[in-house]
Amino acid sequence: MDNERKNSGFTLIELMIVVAIIAVVASIAIPKLMSTRIAANENAALATLRSLATAQAQIVSACAIDADADGGGEFAYIGELVGVASLRIYDVATGAPGIGVERLAPPILPTPFGDIVVDANGHGVVERAGYYFKMWLPAAAAGGAIAGVPEDGTAGVGGADAANLPDSSNGEILWCCYAWPVDAGVTGSRAFFINQEGDLLQFLNADETYDDIVNAANIPAFDAAYSDGTGGLDMGARLGITAQITADGEAANDGNTWTVVGN
């Protein structure tokens, strides 16, 4: 009789109690683990944007890109900063900006920054630690406004697109970059923005407006964090640009509220 009881194993009630305990522990631990992961990825994204800002300052100071041969250094795409894309040059044969054969050596950014993939718009973006990063350089001014020119959509290469080069003059003073989650709510929540002034903005992205790169509607446009209204931080008063960064909480061009990180 005693042997039968010893070998009978767990009763159904005991198993149900164990399962219930595991479920309770999981309900507490899993959300905490996810929130910890999201926080870590968001902090990493902010650190990456700051690294990009530092790299941009370095390449301009080094005058590694001077596609109009005026002696002024120009900002770069991520592929150029990593050394996987050829640098823009002044093409003596055509008397216009072009793309050379030399790459930045040594590169300013480490190789992991060069994981360049193609988004739904055919533009180059970088995937890193649960976030996508998209660099925009300026086009020539048109009617007082300046549009953005994206990175080349060739996977693994990036850099400038020979058929759609950024403006060299504006490229000496303007750039911006967006960061948004690879999988909103899982790898990160907030979307971020930084520009040549170091203005670091955030959008809470609670409704997962910006998420992945499969659908064009989920990818920030060049002017997403800008506003055509008044207020905020002037993006380029020296050029008379009407678009302004919405650091004061007004609605941006994407209809969302972008605020200064930390506020």
Side-chain angles (χ1 to χ4, degrees), residues 1-10:
M1 191 76 171
D2 290 338
N3 288 336
E4 289 180 2
R5 176 167 293 181
K6 289 179 181 178
N7 296 328
S8 62
F10 292 105

Side-chain angles (χ1 to χ4, degrees), residues 23-40:
V24 171
V25 172
S27 67
I28 297 173
I30 291 176
K32 184 170 291 187
L33 287 172
M34 289 188 64
S35 63
T36 300
R37 179 190 183 192
I38 287 174

Side-chain angles (χ1 to χ4, degrees), residues 138-164:
I146 295 178
V149 180
E151 190 146 2
D152 179 35
T154 303
V157 179
D161 181 353
N164 188 29

Side-chain angles (χ1 to χ4, degrees), residues 84-169:
V84 298
S86 297
L87 298 172
R88 282 163 286 141
I89 61 169
Y90 176 76
D91 190 336
V92 178
T94 62
I99 299 177
V101 295
E102 294 187 2
R103 299 179 181 180
L104 193 63
I108 296 176
L109 293 177
T111 303
F113 279 87
D115 185 12
I116 297 171
V117 295
V118 183
D119 68 13
N121 296 308
H123 305 156
V125 300
V126 169
E127 181 180 351
R128 184 172 172 81
Y131 265 76
Y132 289 118
F133 299 85
K134 189 169 186 176
M135 183 71 70
W136 294 89
L137 298 183
I146 295 178
V149 180
E151 190 146 2
D152 179 35
T154 303
V157 179
D161 181 353
N164 188 29
L165 292 174
D167 182 71
S168 292
S169 295

Side-chain angles (χ1 to χ4, degrees), residues 153-191:
T154 303
V157 179
D161 181 353
N164 188 29
L165 292 174
D167 182 71
S168 292
S169 295
N170 290 338
E172 296 174 359
I173 53 177
L174 298 172
W175 67 272
C176 72
C177 185
Y178 288 87
W180 68 98
V182 170
D183 188 357
V186 177
T187 65
S189 293
R190 292 178 291 171

Side-chain angles (χ1 to χ4, degrees), residues 19 45-46 48 60 62 70-71 73 77 97-99 121 129 138 150 168 199 223 246 253:
V19 170
L46 290 170
T48 296
V60 165
D70 67 350
Y77 288 112
I99 299 177
N121 296 308
S168 292
D199 299 317
D223 61 349
T246 57
N253 286 339

